[in-house]
Amino acid sequence: MHIQESHWSSASATASGGMVGAAAGGEGRGPGNGSRTTPLRVDAQRNLEHVLRAAREVFGELGYGAPMEDVARRARVGVGTVYRRFPSKDVLVRRIAEEETSRLTDQARSALGQEDEPWSALSRFLRTSVASGAGRLLPPQILRVGVAEDATEADETRVPQQRSQLAPELRLVEQRSVPADEVLVAAADDAGAAQLLDVVGRLVERARAAGELRADVTVADVLLVIATAAPSLPDPAQQAAASARLLDILLEGLRSRPA
């Protein structure tokens, strides 16, 4: 799968300095001060970028259940190198999921700020997110939280099958074994997830208030559109065409119809 890397370059560069110290189990920390980090060597920084890029590709193709060995092979480094940067798979999964949530939030804010028409803002957000392959890395707990918050009944059939199967992985991300309902609560309390749900909620409310969005469409539905309209296909051109076609159909389904 080919994920558009340009969207990630700034995020990786920004995050690597502040987060690598924690992710690498202390590598790069200054002496006597656990809160300070020193820049990675050029080769170490390059390896980190390769690992992050590979993780985004592998998790995007296979889901967050993919093993670390697959990430190492895609990055063309030893699995030990991956574990030196990320002492457990939990840490790497959380890193990728947090970056994806932040990217989606930025895309939603951009749509809100640059489009005056409510429907144009919502459709722009969906098109941008789907075109960037966001649905393949959308953290599964975001989908599940959205369903739990917006639906009168937590209907698991509304969650794409691949994402539904990833629910046990959330327990690893939380670093403890907990029931599924506690995972939902923990995800709902996550600041990044809350910001995403809030901004997408504003897009939804604006379009609904303008009479352009079906009254029964929820934030969960919008997030599910992103996940559904981002298939992983081996040919990039075919993948882009399939995503655009599917999104056009889904957008028509979201729009309100004259009585």
Side-chain angles (χ1 to χ4, degrees), residues 39-107:
L40 292 173
R41 300 188 316 270
V42 173
D43 58 339
Q45 177 65 32
R46 184 167 54 248
N47 282 342
L48 173 63
E49 292 172 354
H50 289 334
V51 168
L52 288 173
R53 182 182 301 111
R56 287 190 289 271
E57 293 177 355
V58 169
F59 292 150
E61 293 171 6
L62 305 176
Y64 285 116
M68 293 283 264
E69 288 77 9
D70 284 2
V71 174
R73 279 193 292 270
R74 185 70 60 90
R76 297 183 179 180
V77 299
V79 70
T81 298
V82 179
Y83 278 108
R84 279 196 296 274
R85 301 288 170 249
F86 301 94
S88 71
K89 181 183 172 183
D90 311 349
V91 177
L92 179 56
V93 166
R94 180 173 289 279
R95 170 72 175 267
I96 298 299
E98 286 177 348
E99 286 187 352
E100 186 63 22
T101 301
S102 177
R103 177 166 69 137
L104 286 169
T105 302
D106 288 343
Q107 290 172 346

Side-chain angles (χ1 to χ4, degrees), residues 147-205:
V147 170
E149 287 184 345
D150 292 326
T152 55
E153 295 181 13
D155 182 2
E156 292 294 336
T157 62
R158 298 177 66 191
V159 181
Q161 184 64 25
Q162 181 194 34
R163 305 301 166 184
S164 179
Q165 292 172 343
L166 295 177
E169 192 66 23
L170 300 181
R171 301 188 185 108
L172 295 177
V173 173
E174 293 302 321
Q175 298 182 348
R176 59 191 180 96
S177 180
V178 296
D181 57 346
E182 289 187 31
V183 172
L184 296 182
V185 172
D189 290 339
D190 180 78
Q195 289 178 12
L196 174 61
L197 294 172
D198 175 68
V199 180
V200 176
R202 281 186 274 163
L203 285 167
V204 168
E205 288 299 325

Side-chain angles (χ1 to χ4, degrees), residues 127 130-131 229 231 238-251:
R127 292 190 186 281
V130 169
Q238 183 183 15
Q239 178 176 292
S243 293
R245 172 65 175 160
L246 182 55
L247 182 56
D248 284 341
I249 295 171
L250 293 172
L251 283 171

Side-chain angles (χ1 to χ4, degrees), residues 26-38:
E27 183 173 342
R29 292 188 184 277
N33 189 338
S35 64
R36 298 182 62 185
T37 61
T38 56

